[in-house]
Amino acid sequence: MTITIPNLSWYLAVSKKMGAPPRCPFATVESCPRYYQSLSLLGNAGGTSIDSAEDQRLIEKWKTSDLWPKTKEQETSISGNNKFFGNFCPEVSFERFGYFASYLGRYSNELDHDLAHEQLGKIGASSEDYRWAWSSLTTMHFTECTLYSVLLYRQNDTKKESVSKDQTSGKVSPSIETNDKFSAPKVKRKNIWRNLSSKLKFSIISVTTIVALLAGFLTNIEKIGNFFKGQKNPPSIPNIVVKLSNSIEEGVRVSARGDFILWLPGPGARHTMGKYEFLMVNGKSPEGGRFVVPQKESVTVYAKIMNEAYFTKILFQSDCDLSLIVYRAEGGLTNTNQIPFTPKAIKEYYLDADVGK
C-alpha cells in the first residue's frame, strides 16, 4: 500500500499541478476563521497561545461571520486529551506537526504505538512517514478546503465591484488605452527613436544599462547591510552532543537525519516532533547521508535541530524534555535518553544511545 506523505514537497507539487499559489493565500487569522480557530486551539495543546486580548477580538469578529461553523461537525476541534485533531486548517497542522492534514489521530495506547514502530522498522519506513507519530491522518491541500472557494469567490467579487465603481466614476487605469489621446504620444516617441543614429542609440542604451546596474548594486548593498544589522546576535539552538555506541560484533550504519521528540509538561505523555541532522565533529554533514559506528566502539557527533526558527521559541519559553529517534540505514531505530530542552542543559549534557540494540 502506497502511503502519501503530506509534507511540503507534496503540497507544492499539488499546487503546481493545479496552477494554484504555492501556499494558501488566506492563511491568516484575519482572513480565514478556520485558520484562526486551528491556531487558537493549539494554545491549549502544547502550542504558543494567542494573546488573550487579541484572541477575544478575533473570536468576536468571526462569530458574527456567516463563515463561522454552525454545527459541531463543522467545528475545528481537539479531543481525547490532545490525541485527535479534527477539521484543522492544513496550513496550521503543517506549521505545528509537519504535515498538511485536516485530521490527525494519535495511537490509542503505548502498546499500539510500540507495535506500529516495530512494523515500520521492519519495512524500513522513511523517517518522514507520519505513522511514526500518528495512527491515522487525512491529507488536505488548501484548494480542497470548503472555505477556500467561498473566500476566493468573495475576493474576486470585491475586485470586480471595485473596477465597476472606478468606471462609473469616470476613473481609468493608466495601463488601459481608451482613446487616441493615450496612443498618440507613443507613436510620436517611436518616430523620434527611429530617426536617431545607431551610434546615439548605442550610447543611450549603454548609459541606461550602467545606471540601472549601479542602482541595483547600491540597492543590494543596502539590503545586505540591513540584513546583517538585523542578524545581530539572533537566538539559536546550540548543536547537541550525541554519543552513539555499538554493542554488537559488526559495524552499524546510521542515517544522518532523523526525528526528535519534545515531551511536553503535563499528563497524557503529550509531545511534539521535529527533525534533526547529524554533523560530524568537524562540522560537516556525513558523506552519502549516513555514517558507520564501528563494532564495540562509539562515535561522537552533533545533532543540529531543523526548522530552528520555530523550535527556538519553545527552547526559551517551554519546559520540555528532548530525545532523538536514531535510524539505522538498513532499517530499525533506537531512542536516546532524555535531557531538558533548555539552553543550559544542551550545553552541559549529552544524549547517548546504543545503535546495536
Side-chain angles (χ1 to χ4, degrees):
M1 181 177 65
T2 302
I3 296 295
T4 298
I5 308 299
N7 54 19
L8 185 59
S9 298
W10 170 83
Y11 202 69
L12 296 179
V14 174
S15 295
K16 184 177 181 180
K17 182 178 180 181
M18 301 186 68
R23 302 286 292 270
C24 180
F26 303 107
T28 72
V29 294
E30 299 289 351
S31 301
C32 176
R34 180 165 293 163
Y35 183 94
Y36 156 67
Q37 194 174 25
S38 301
L39 193 65
S40 179
L41 287 175
L42 283 179
N44 298 320
T48 303
S49 300
I50 299 175
D51 177 77
S52 57
E54 179 69 358
D55 197 34
Q56 185 61 33
R57 180 188 70 81
L58 288 166
I59 196 169
E60 289 177 0
K61 168 188 173 177
W62 285 117
K63 277 198 170 182
T64 60
S65 168
D66 63 333
L67 297 175
W68 190 255
K70 299 301 187 292
T71 66
K72 290 289 184 181
E73 290 77 12
Q74 293 178 324
E75 287 182 356
T76 298
S77 63
I78 300 177
S79 58
N81 196 19
N82 299 329
K83 283 189 174 182
F84 308 106
F85 300 76
N87 284 334
F88 251 67
C89 168
E91 294 281 343
V92 175
S93 64
F94 172 74
E95 294 300 330
R96 182 67 175 84
F97 304 114
Y99 300 108
F100 292 96
S102 60
Y103 169 80
L104 304 99
R106 299 191 190 279
Y107 291 98
S108 57
N109 52 56
E110 289 299 318
L111 177 61
D112 288 345
H113 179 271
D114 293 343
L115 289 174
H117 274 217
E118 181 180 350
Q119 182 61 27
L120 290 168
K122 288 180 180 178
I123 65 176
S126 163
S127 61
E128 292 191 340
D129 195 317
Y130 65 82
R131 293 174 295 177
W132 291 110
W134 304 96
S135 172
S136 58
L137 177 153
T138 302
T139 63
M140 175 177 277
H141 188 265
F142 69 83
T143 53
E144 300 174 282
C145 175
T146 54
L147 294 182
Y148 174 71
S149 294
V150 179
L151 292 169
L152 184 64
Y153 175 81
R154 292 183 178 182
Q155 181 189 65
N156 292 337
D157 201 43
T158 300
K159 289 181 179 178
K160 290 178 182 178
E161 183 179 350
S162 176
V163 171
S164 177
K165 286 182 179 179
D166 284 347
Q167 291 175 345
T168 302
S169 62
K171 295 179 181 178
V172 180
S173 170
S175 63
I176 301 175
E177 299 179 15
T178 58
N179 53 45
D180 292 340
K181 184 169 65 175
F182 288 94
S183 59
K186 290 186 177 181
V187 175
K188 186 176 180 180
R189 285 194 293 271
K190 287 181 180 178
N191 290 334
I192 293 173
W193 179 255
R194 289 187 185 129
N195 292 331
L196 295 177
S197 66
S198 299
K199 187 175 182 180
L200 184 55
K201 287 180 181 178
F202 178 77
S203 299
I204 293 172
I205 292 173
S206 299
V207 172
T208 303
T209 302
I210 292 171
V211 171
L213 290 173
L214 183 59
F217 175 75
L218 292 175
T219 300
N220 286 335
I221 289 294
E222 183 180 359
K223 287 181 179 178
I224 292 170
N226 290 336
F227 172 79
F228 282 107
K229 286 179 183 177
Q231 294 300 308
K232 185 178 181 181
N233 299 322
S236 60
I237 302 176
N239 291 337
I240 304 161
V241 178
V242 183
K243 184 177 180 180
L244 301 176
S245 59
N246 179 11
S247 60
I248 61 176
E249 297 292 340
E250 58 180 352
V252 175
R253 293 195 302 168
V254 175
S255 297
R257 291 197 173 192
D259 298 300
F260 65 84
I261 304 175
L262 289 180
W263 298 98
L264 307 174
R270 298 182 303 143
H271 65 278
T272 186
M273 298 185 69
K275 298 189 178 299
Y276 70 85
E277 178 183 17
F278 279 138
L279 302 176
M280 309 309 290
V281 290
N282 59 7
K284 296 182 178 180
S285 300
E287 292 186 9
R290 59 192 63 182
F291 60 94
V292 176
V293 180
Q295 61 182 26
K296 299 295 183 177
E297 293 187 20
S298 63
V299 172
T300 299
V301 292
Y302 297 107
K304 177 179 175 58
I305 298 297
M306 314 296 282
N307 195 3
E308 192 176 20
Y310 173 77
F311 288 103
T312 298
K313 298 177 183 178
I314 300 179
L315 178 71
F316 289 92
Q317 296 178 9
S318 301
D319 178 19
C320 304
D321 289 328
L322 168 73
S323 64
L324 306 184
I325 302 175
V326 182
Y327 298 96
R328 292 185 284 272
E330 287 77 17
L333 53 87
T334 186
N335 289 355
T336 68
N337 61 318
Q338 297 179 22
I339 63 172
F341 189 58
T342 64
K344 184 175 185 295
I346 288 176
K347 290 179 180 179
E348 294 182 358
Y349 305 120
Y350 66 87
L351 294 166
D352 64 83
D354 185 350
V355 297
K357 288 185 178 180

